[in-house]
Amino acid sequence: MKGFTATALAGAALFLTANADVDPIVIKGSKFFYQTNGTQFFIKGIAYQQDYLGNGTTTGSSGGDSSYVDPLADGSSCSRDVPYLQQLQTNTIRVYAIDPTKNHDQCMSLLADAGIYVIADLSAPGDSIVRDSPTWNDDLYARYTSVIDAMANYTNTMGFFAGNEVSNNNTNTDASAFVKAAVRDMKAYIKTKNYRTIGVGYATNDDADIRENLANYFDCGESTDAIDFWGYNIYSWCGDSSYTESGYDVRTKEFSDYNVPVFFAEYGCNEVQPRKFTEVQALYGPKMSPVWSGGIVYMYFQEANDYGLVSVSGDSVSTLDDFNYLSSQLASINPTGVNSNSYTPTNTAAQACPTVGSDWQASSNLPPTPNQELCECMFNALTCVPDNVSTDKVGDLFGVVCGLGQDTCAGIEANGTTGDYGAYGMCNPTQQLGWALNSYYEQQVAAGNGASACDFSGSAKTQAPSSPTGTCATLISQAGSAGTGTVTSQPSGTGSSGSGSGSSGGSSSSSSSAGVPGFSAPAHIGVLQVAFYLAIAFVSGAGMILL
């Protein structure tokens, strides 16, 4: 390997302006194109994020360290690395988590000047849809929209991933309903904010049992709900494999009639080292390039998982053998594309939705759009609310109250398999617990037993409820008295504040308080399961803190 300092290569990546523009990438049919000249765009990408495991993991994981380093917020690191990305003829990088509160002008300008586009995951550790207990709530909505707000005005922002390997086997496919709802809502948000059209997609793993259903599910139905592009994390070509041995031939046939662009969101098996990347010739060759729009190699930085192309120490970068092999392979490819002006898509039909059954558990009926204002209006209108619930009691309390009254928790149900969702299923845990407590309390008042119904051994209290007026009255009316109605009013605000404002005891949208991962206390979940979900939260009248 050969080492260079960033100073020695600084001339190759001078910082120009904070808003350097490149020709945006647009989608037509199943292909990407440069917007101005109509040339087809093939992704020659690198995953670019240090100390963050993308391969073999999911951005929908709970627990653990919620910290991460934003790769686009450090101009000096970008100045150091862009020349090496250029040596690899990189035109796209994938970043797995950015901090939307930080400034990205310098890095995005350096990348733009190098002709490099960015595909950004919308989630972050602690702020993501969790596969084993999925939810799509107002905190996640705030996180995802804040990333869009931070990135949408850069012309080299190519697209967003609303999830990465969330459903990864046939035991958790119900989680896909929540991810698809996120796709739907982020597409609508981009349109509502009058941003230029930027695609929203999903990155899947290569699980043989569910890969076909997954691809069909995210593409089926109304176009407003479906993905704009499909990313495939695939590691089946190891060492000197082949087009047929790797299964690339079968995957290519499967996507030959797909109606949106497909590409490898991660590739580069490291079971045989050094990686010689012989799959590059197949991916960009005449058999695959008519179907696939290129791919993203995992990854730039050498980490413990041993997938790196370079080793970085301070401002010094040392290229590894994998870097040199990949550089040689990419230098020899020249995929044949089409021009958008002469291209008429023939594969325009969406895929058929998979049927819910033993091998597929996600309904085509998606969770409602999170609405922070509705949740706050609801909580403020309650009479019985949580009061200093201790950690060891919260799970039991939730399980008990949901089992006491008929349909007590119907308003906070979230069942991705049956497609049944309460109007408040997207609210934060404090608000949902308040709804459950108050529902039971009202049932007891109606039965003449209300004197001590809002006590729960000191875990609840009565408050003076606000009388809903204006928008609040409309939203609560749409939700219905049992919380099982359909709210048609769109969420207000810019998506930057989460559910932490107001007097509803909401948590903030920061990574340390994004809501209990996957919590929704649905009616179809048993008391013990509810207790398990809630046991990791501390709920009080002032808010909720992850433990």
Side-chain angles (χ1 to χ4, degrees), residues 18-48:
N19 293 296
D21 288 339
V22 294
D23 194 7
I25 303 302
V26 297
I27 296 171
K28 181 178 180 181
S30 60
K31 303 183 187 301
F32 293 112
F33 297 95
Y34 288 99
Q35 179 174 275
T36 301
N37 62 23
T39 301
Q40 187 175 348
F41 182 84
F42 289 93
I43 295 172
K44 291 184 284 185
I46 305 293
Y48 182 77

Side-chain angles (χ1 to χ4, degrees), residues 148-313:
I148 290 175
D149 288 338
M151 299 295 292
N153 288 321
Y154 299 112
T155 56
N156 57 328
T157 296
M158 180 177 169
F160 302 104
F161 281 128
N164 179 66
E165 300 188 8
V166 180
S167 293
N168 67 346
N169 61 52
N170 58 15
T171 69
N172 50 41
T173 56
D174 62 308
S176 289
F178 299 86
V179 183
K180 190 170 180 179
V183 172
R184 173 201 64 201
D185 291 343
M186 294 306 97
K187 290 174 62 170
Y189 182 78
I190 290 170
K191 186 175 182 178
T192 299
K193 293 285 288 185
N194 292 318
Y195 293 135
R196 65 179 174 83
T197 301
I198 308 173
V200 180
Y202 177 76
T204 182
N205 69 319
D206 184 32
D207 184 272
D209 292 332
I210 64 172
R211 59 190 172 204
E212 186 174 354
N213 279 335
L214 271 172
N216 292 343
Y217 180 78
F218 277 92
D219 183 59
C220 74
E222 298 294 329
S223 61
T224 52
D225 299 346
I227 40 97
D228 295 314
F229 53 78
W230 188 246
Y232 211 142
N233 298 345
I234 184 168
Y235 293 86
S236 60
W237 187 303
C238 300
D240 292 324
S241 188
S242 69
Y243 182 58
T244 54
E245 183 182 352
S246 64
Y248 279 19
D249 59 333
V250 181
R251 305 288 82 77
T252 300
K253 182 178 180 181
E254 289 171 350
F255 285 98
S256 60
D257 64 348
Y258 214 61
N259 64 326
V260 299
V262 294
F263 58 93
F264 288 0
E266 290 177 6
Y267 76 95
C269 172
N270 69 350
E271 292 181 6
V272 178
Q273 294 185 331
R275 295 184 291 176
K276 296 183 178 181
F277 293 104
T278 53
E279 67 263 48
V280 166
Q281 301 305 314
L283 178 59
Y284 297 92
K287 293 181 180 179
M288 295 186 70
S289 61
V291 174
W292 300 91
S293 294
I296 298 171
V297 170
Y298 190 82
M299 69 164 306
Y300 182 76
F301 297 98
Q302 175 71 324
E303 305 284 359
N305 59 8
D306 207 22
Y307 278 91
L309 299 173
V310 305
S311 177
V312 174
S313 177

Side-chain angles (χ1 to χ4, degrees), residues 210-450:
I210 64 172
R211 59 190 172 204
E212 186 174 354
N213 279 335
L214 271 172
N216 292 343
Y217 180 78
F218 277 92
D219 183 59
C220 74
E222 298 294 329
S223 61
T224 52
D225 299 346
I227 40 97
D228 295 314
F229 53 78
W230 188 246
Y232 211 142
N233 298 345
I234 184 168
Y235 293 86
S236 60
W237 187 303
C238 300
D240 292 324
S241 188
S242 69
Y243 182 58
T244 54
E245 183 182 352
S246 64
Y248 279 19
D249 59 333
V250 181
R251 305 288 82 77
T252 300
K253 182 178 180 181
E254 289 171 350
F255 285 98
S256 60
D257 64 348
Y258 214 61
N259 64 326
V260 299
V262 294
F263 58 93
F264 288 0
E266 290 177 6
Y267 76 95
C269 172
N270 69 350
E271 292 181 6
V272 178
Q273 294 185 331
R275 295 184 291 176
K276 296 183 178 181
F277 293 104
T278 53
E279 67 263 48
V280 166
Q281 301 305 314
L283 178 59
Y284 297 92
K287 293 181 180 179
M288 295 186 70
S289 61
V291 174
W292 300 91
S293 294
I296 298 171
V297 170
Y298 190 82
M299 69 164 306
Y300 182 76
F301 297 98
Q302 175 71 324
E303 305 284 359
N305 59 8
D306 207 22
Y307 278 91
L309 299 173
V310 305
S311 177
V312 174
S313 177
D315 66 350
S316 178
V317 177
S318 298
T319 59
L320 304 177
D321 288 341
D322 288 8
F323 180 101
N324 300 320
Y325 280 114
L326 179 62
S327 177
S328 176
Q329 292 288 353
L330 289 173
S332 65
I333 56 109
N334 184 27
T336 302
V338 297
N339 190 280
S340 63
N341 294 326
S342 58
Y343 167 60
T344 302
T346 57
N347 47 336
T348 57
Q351 304 299 304
C353 293
T355 302
V356 174
S358 59
D359 57 349
W360 184 255
Q361 296 291 311
S363 169
S364 295
N365 186 32
L366 304 179
T369 301
N371 193 313
Q372 174 189 339
E373 187 174 11
L374 166 65
C375 295
E376 292 180 347
C377 289
M378 174 272 288
F379 193 90
N380 291 334
L382 301 178
T383 301
C384 183
V385 294
D387 183 32
N388 296 319
V389 183
S390 63
T391 305
D392 59 344
K393 291 182 179 179
V394 64
D396 292 336
L397 175 59
F398 217 112
V400 168
V401 71
C402 284
L404 285 175
Q406 184 178 7
D407 294 331
T408 299
C409 292
I412 53 177
E413 181 177 9
N415 190 326
T417 299
T418 65
D420 295 322
Y421 309 99
Y424 303 115
M426 89 291 284
C427 299
N428 69 48
T430 302
Q431 294 162 338
Q432 291 193 22
L433 182 57
W435 170 263
L437 293 171
N438 193 75
S439 295
Y440 173 75
Y441 171 75
E442 289 185 343
Q443 290 175 9
Q444 295 306 300
V445 169
N449 303 318

Side-chain angles (χ1 to χ4, degrees), residues 2-181:
K2 189 175 182 180
F4 298 91
T5 65
T7 303
L9 292 169
L14 292 174
F15 172 60
L16 297 181
T17 67
N19 293 296
D21 288 339
V22 294
D23 194 7
I25 303 302
V26 297
I27 296 171
K28 181 178 180 181
S30 60
K31 303 183 187 301
F32 293 112
F33 297 95
Y34 288 99
Q35 179 174 275
T36 301
N37 62 23
T39 301
Q40 187 175 348
F41 182 84
F42 289 93
I43 295 172
K44 291 184 284 185
I46 305 293
Y48 182 77
Q49 186 135 12
Q50 199 161 12
D51 298 322
Y52 194 94
L53 296 179
N55 168 53
T57 68
T58 173
T59 54
S61 58
S62 62
D65 188 359
S66 62
S67 65
Y68 59 93
V69 177
D70 183 340
L72 302 181
D74 185 348
S76 61
S77 294
C78 290
S79 297
R80 175 197 66 201
D81 295 330
V82 165
Y84 292 94
L85 294 173
Q86 288 178 295
Q87 286 185 48
L88 290 170
Q89 301 187 39
T90 304
N91 63 16
T92 308
I93 61 170
R94 177 183 178 184
V95 295
Y96 293 91
I98 69 157
D99 183 346
T101 67
K102 294 184 177 180
N103 186 284
H104 304 97
D105 287 350
Q106 186 174 358
C107 279
M108 292 302 288
S109 292
L110 287 166
L111 292 166
D113 186 49
I116 298 174
Y117 296 82
V118 174
I119 299 177
D121 287 52
L122 295 172
S123 59
D127 280 307
S128 53
I129 298 170
V130 181
R131 61 169 67 107
D132 294 325
S133 52
T135 189
W136 175 232
N137 61 31
D138 54 358
D139 287 320
L140 292 178
Y141 184 94
R143 159 68 197 187
Y144 287 27
T145 54
S146 67
V147 174
I148 290 175
D149 288 338
M151 299 295 292
N153 288 321
Y154 299 112
T155 56
N156 57 328
T157 296
M158 180 177 169
F160 302 104
F161 281 128
N164 179 66
E165 300 188 8
V166 180
S167 293
N168 67 346
N169 61 52
N170 58 15
T171 69
N172 50 41
T173 56
D174 62 308
S176 289
F178 299 86
V179 183
K180 190 170 180 179

